[in-house]
Amino acid sequence: MCQGKIFNQVEEVITPDNKSAGLRFGKQRHIVCPWHGYEFDLATGCHPGDPAMRLTPVPVAVRNGHIYVSVG
């Protein structure tokens, strides 16, 4: 996420002989916890390697330009 915009994850393209062919934006949109390093798909809330591990959805609303998140 950058300046309120969500971007797809950046992936490195590897050639068959294991050399880098550069970077590209992938098709999936993931967020990564900076503390634990866990990664989750923004669309599903699931961990890409273990779909049973997922984020708990919470209600979010935008009112008068303010974002409200219900956590309790």
Side-chain angles (χ1 to χ4, degrees):
M1 186 177 294
C2 178
Q3 298 179 355
K5 296 179 182 175
I6 298 172
F7 294 92
N8 292 11
Q9 69 185 34
V10 176
E11 301 174 336
E12 184 172 16
V13 180
I14 304 295
T15 63
D17 58 348
N18 291 325
K19 294 183 180 172
S20 178
L23 302 175
R24 68 175 177 204
F25 287 108
K27 295 183 191 239
Q28 296 179 331
R29 294 181 175 190
H30 290 188
I31 56 172
V32 178
C33 172
W35 192 341
H36 300 101
Y38 292 140
E39 186 174 342
F40 296 94
D41 184 304
L42 283 175
T44 65
C46 293
H47 183 278
D50 181 2
M53 182 187 292
R54 60 180 303 133
L55 297 172
T56 302
V58 295
V60 177
V62 178
R63 293 191 294 268
N64 298 324
H66 293 89
I67 299 171
Y68 295 87
V69 179
S70 299
V71 293

